[in-house]
Amino acid sequence: RVPGGSSSGSAVAVAAKLVDFSLGTDTGASVRVPASYCGILGFRPSLGAVSTVGVLPMSQSYDTVGWFARDPMILNRIGRVLLHLPDVDSIKPSQVIIAEDCFRLSTIPSDRTAQVLVKSIEKLFGGHPELNVSFQASDIKIDFVPTNMSSNSCAAQCVKHAILGDYVKDKVPSLQHFIDKGNEDQVDDIPPSLAALSSAMRLLQRYEFKNYHAKWVTKVNPDFGPGISERIWDAIKATGENIDFCHSVRTELCAALTALLGDHGILALPTTPGEPPKVQANPATSDIFFSRPFSLLSVAGSSGFCQVSIPLGRYDNVPLAISLVAKHGSDAFLLNLVETLYDTLQETI
């Protein structure tokens, strides 16, 4: 199976127990996807939270330095060193929003992913596990409120279900420029707004890559491998069209998700939409490397939010994972939550 992404060597070293932790870079997804495919923890910090001085740039609007570990305590300790954070007490999440449309994109049954998370929250915090809430365009429709909720029960109050694509479409109007133009990589069941978000992310990444590296690539004309070569030359040919809208998308998305999550809210979604592809798969033509995963991965990438990929055991003998996303600057909160939640998740699996 493919270990996934440009930092997969770092992930493999941790998964093989050669080291306790390792570093990686995540511009598109190269910490989160290898973590998911290798069955370990992977953390992409808030944009700008960890210095990238000395790292060869690819796309300044997305470049981050993340890290891998097998143990949530080590993941947290490494984060506090890299982020220069003091030890702080854990804080219960104010809400955990299950992105239902994102989980529907996954080939893994939700009872092995989303429901494991919901049951773990119930075990940890007690009370009724769910409050069903549907986010439909600009309205928030409460479908059912249990009458036996205790006022101090986090689980009773905070687990909600959202249609993320509808919310993003309504709150990020600049995406309309990319939805109207269409997306040749789009798969039919991907929400158009999330497909457009992925398209805007890749357009800006290509444009910034070109600004950094076009002169060297065109002068040296190095021999790139298949899959990589096509993407690099697509980037070199990129124009500045719609770049201003790409920046607007990022600003609007950050504001929208901040409003949705608040200070201590969590967004839950699959890290990747399916199992690790086989080595023989062609990354240049397989949508598993493009449309479907990046419609999920661009949520944290384009907003600059922090995201952690948490392993959830194996399914059909391959690793699977779930991701938690928190607002920009909430890295310590998210790291503490992973450490608090991890053992219960593994017991629930």
Side-chain angles (χ1 to χ4, degrees):
R1 300 281 178 163
V2 173
S6 61
S7 293
S8 57
S10 296
V12 168
V14 172
K17 300 183 180 180
L18 301 176
V19 294
D20 292 315
F21 75 93
S22 61
L23 303 180
T25 53
D26 189 314
T27 298
S30 293
V31 165
R32 293 163 290 169
V33 171
S36 175
Y37 286 175
C38 292
I40 59 174
L41 293 154
F43 196 89
R44 175 193 165 99
S46 299
L47 184 68
V50 177
S51 173
T52 56
V53 171
V55 178
L56 190 68
M58 178 178 169
S59 174
Q60 65 183 10
S61 296
Y62 297 89
D63 289 344
T64 62
V65 175
W67 57 99
F68 303 96
R70 297 182 306 278
D71 185 307
M73 292 181 63
I74 292 178
L75 190 83
N76 200 347
R77 289 175 61 189
I78 299 307
R80 295 191 178 281
V81 172
L82 293 174
L83 296 161
H84 305 287
L85 294 172
D87 289 335
V88 294
D89 293 334
S90 298
I91 300 173
K92 292 181 180 179
S94 58
Q95 56 181 340
V96 177
I97 298 175
I98 309 295
E100 290 285 355
D101 50 339
C102 294
F103 281 100
R104 285 198 292 266
L105 290 177
S106 177
T107 59
I108 309 298
S110 64
D111 63 351
R112 288 300 315 276
T113 53
Q115 289 307 309
V116 170
L117 176 63
V118 171
K119 290 177 182 178
S120 298
I121 291 169
E122 182 182 13
K123 289 180 181 179
L124 272 177
F125 303 120
H128 193 287
E130 296 184 48
L131 170 64
N132 291 323
V133 177
S134 299
F135 291 88
Q136 297 176 342
S138 60
D139 298 321
I140 300 177
K141 178 185 177 184
I142 300 179
D143 297 318
F144 171 69
V145 181
T147 57
N148 62 344
M149 294 192 302
S150 61
S151 59
N152 62 354
S153 169
C154 173
Q157 299 173 31
C158 74
V159 178
K160 305 174 183 178
H161 296 262
I163 305 302
L164 185 63
D166 288 352
Y167 182 81
V168 168
K169 181 180 179 180
D170 183 60
K171 300 297 184 181
V172 187
S174 294
L175 277 178
Q176 198 62 42
H177 296 279
F178 301 95
I179 294 174
D180 287 345
K181 285 182 174 296
N183 179 358
E184 70 252 13
D185 296 327
Q186 185 174 339
V187 179
D188 290 341
D189 57 351
I190 297 177
S193 59
L194 299 186
L197 187 62
S198 172
S199 180
M201 179 182 79
R202 285 186 283 150
L203 177 61
L204 183 53
Q205 287 181 346
R206 288 169 180 165
Y207 181 74
E208 292 183 343
F209 178 90
K210 175 182 178 179
N211 289 340
Y212 288 127
H213 303 296
K215 184 176 180 180
W216 176 79
V217 171
T218 53
K219 179 180 180 180
V220 176
N221 193 24
D223 184 17
F224 296 112
I228 300 297
S229 179
E230 292 85 349
R231 277 178 274 173
I232 286 178
W233 285 107
D234 282 346
I236 301 302
K237 298 171 186 175
T239 68
E241 184 182 4
N242 283 335
I243 293 301
D244 288 343
F245 291 124
C246 292
H247 289 292
S248 296
V249 164
R250 297 181 71 246
T251 300
E252 293 165 5
L253 180 67
C254 181
L257 294 181
T258 299
L260 178 65
L261 298 180
D263 287 337
H264 299 115
I266 292 292
L267 178 66
L269 67 167
T271 306
T272 56
E275 64 184 26
K278 294 183 178 180
V279 172
Q280 292 81 4
N282 182 359
T285 58
S286 176
D287 72 66
I288 198 165
F289 277 85
F290 293 105
S291 300
R292 196 177 294 274
F294 282 103
S295 65
L296 305 175
L297 296 159
S298 60
V299 174
S302 291
S303 63
F305 282 26
C306 49
Q307 179 175 349
V308 62
S309 180
I310 305 174
L312 293 181
R314 302 173 80 85
Y315 182 79
D316 282 348
N317 204 34
V318 292
L320 73 153
I322 194 170
S323 268
L324 304 181
V325 176
K327 81 167 192 175
H328 187 277
S330 295
D331 304 70
F333 160 66
L334 186 56
L335 286 165
N336 278 341
L337 179 61
V338 173
E339 188 171 338
T340 300
L341 190 59
Y342 188 81
D343 286 345
T344 305
L345 280 172
Q346 304 312 310
E347 291 168 3
T348 305
I349 294 165

